[in-house]
Amino acid sequence: SQTIHQWPATLVQPVGSPLSLECTVEGTSNPNLYWYRQAAGRGLQLLFYSVGIGQISSEVPQNLSASRPQDRQFILSSKKLLLSDSGFYLCAWSPGTGSGEPQHFGDGTRLSIL
Amino acid sequence: GEDVEQSLFLSVREGDSSVINCTYTDSSSTYLYWYKQEPGAGLQLLTYIFSNMDMKQDQRLTVLLNKKDKHLSLRIADTQTGDSAIYFCAETFNAGNNRKLIWGLGTSLAVNP
């Protein structure tokens, strides 16, 4: 069966520091991968998605970037964090067939910027 | 543009049925989804329905789809305290491009003993 791992679970970082959040998927090949941010107001905002190694689509202009160095690894990064980067970050995957199979989520990373 | 709307709060008594409603605007949607989020956790897929279906039942969950009114509902029978959570409705964005979803803001379900 497929599993998705996201870490760390919580992170407290000072303003201006770098960020690296990692997500890996097991038990499947060539998945679509997604990074979301969930602000306190509950809505889910799609940040990035990837349909293959090195292929990243950015949904909103921001202080963050994403990379996919391996088929089942998705990394969310920032060179200098802003206060507005605080939030709950969720990684998700779906089968790469484009058939409408649902997205499956990791447990999330709670990021607090001080 | 495309939008998904849900009421923000619902309160029910334990043992009653809960009905969570959702309306969407993209008539070309192929799939519609229901997810559950418990406090501090990720989103858990509950069920999903293809747009050519009217109803789907899975144990205590029943999904009804009214394509004419673009209305989706999730009924939870015999609601338990463990069902307290936020429930998100989502639809696929653009027929043929199933990589992105449009999300509602979630309905917070409170189950009172």
Side-chain angles (χ1 to χ4, degrees), chain A residues 56-73:
Chain A
I56 309 294
S57 295
S58 175
E59 291 298 298
V60 292
Q62 59 204 312
N63 184 42
L64 302 169
S65 62
S67 61
R68 183 170 177 173
Q70 300 181 46
D71 182 43
R72 288 167 291 183
Q73 184 185 28

Side-chain angles (χ1 to χ4, degrees), chain A:
Chain A
S1 64
Q2 301 88 3
T3 55
I4 179 168
H5 302 281
Q6 220 185 305
W7 66 93
T10 58
L11 190 59
V12 180
Q13 293 283 100
V15 169
S17 63
L19 173 74
S20 180
L21 302 181
E22 189 162 342
C23 173
T24 59
V25 180
E26 296 177 357
T28 188
S29 297
N30 197 32
N32 294 330
L33 297 171
Y34 311 83
W35 278 112
Y36 287 89
R37 176 168 57 207
Q38 187 177 31
R42 258 201 257 164
L44 281 165
Q45 181 185 35
L46 178 63
L47 301 176
F48 300 96
Y49 74 92
S50 171
V51 300
I53 296 175
Q55 300 178 60
I56 309 294
S57 295
S58 175
E59 291 298 298
V60 292
Q62 59 204 312
N63 184 42
L64 302 169
S65 62
S67 61
R68 183 170 177 173
Q70 300 181 46
D71 182 43
R72 288 167 291 183
Q73 184 185 28
F74 206 22
I75 298 172
L76 184 69
S77 304
S78 173
K79 292 181 180 177
K80 283 187 178 182
L81 285 166
L82 305 172
L83 281 174
S84 57
D85 292 323
S86 292
F88 191 49
Y89 288 82
L90 291 157
C91 181
W93 77 273
S94 67
T97 57
S99 62
E101 287 294 317
Q103 296 178 16
H104 302 274
F105 286 80
D107 291 333
T109 295
R110 176 76 56 192
L111 176 63
S112 299
I113 309 299
L114 303 179

Side-chain angles (χ1 to χ4, degrees), chain A residues 41-42, chain B residues 6-10 21 85-87 104-109:
Chain A
R42 258 201 257 164
Chain B
Q6 303 176 239
S7 53
L8 294 182
F9 301 99
L10 177 66
N21 295 302
I86 299 177
Y87 291 80
L105 290 181
T107 299
S108 181
L109 174 64

Side-chain angles (χ1 to χ4, degrees), chain B residues 2 5 19 22-24 29 40 50 55 61 102 109:
Chain B
E2 294 78 13
E5 293 189 355
V19 180
C22 170
T23 58
Y24 60 97
S29 288
F50 189 52
M55 186 183 86
L61 304 179
I102 302 172
L109 174 64

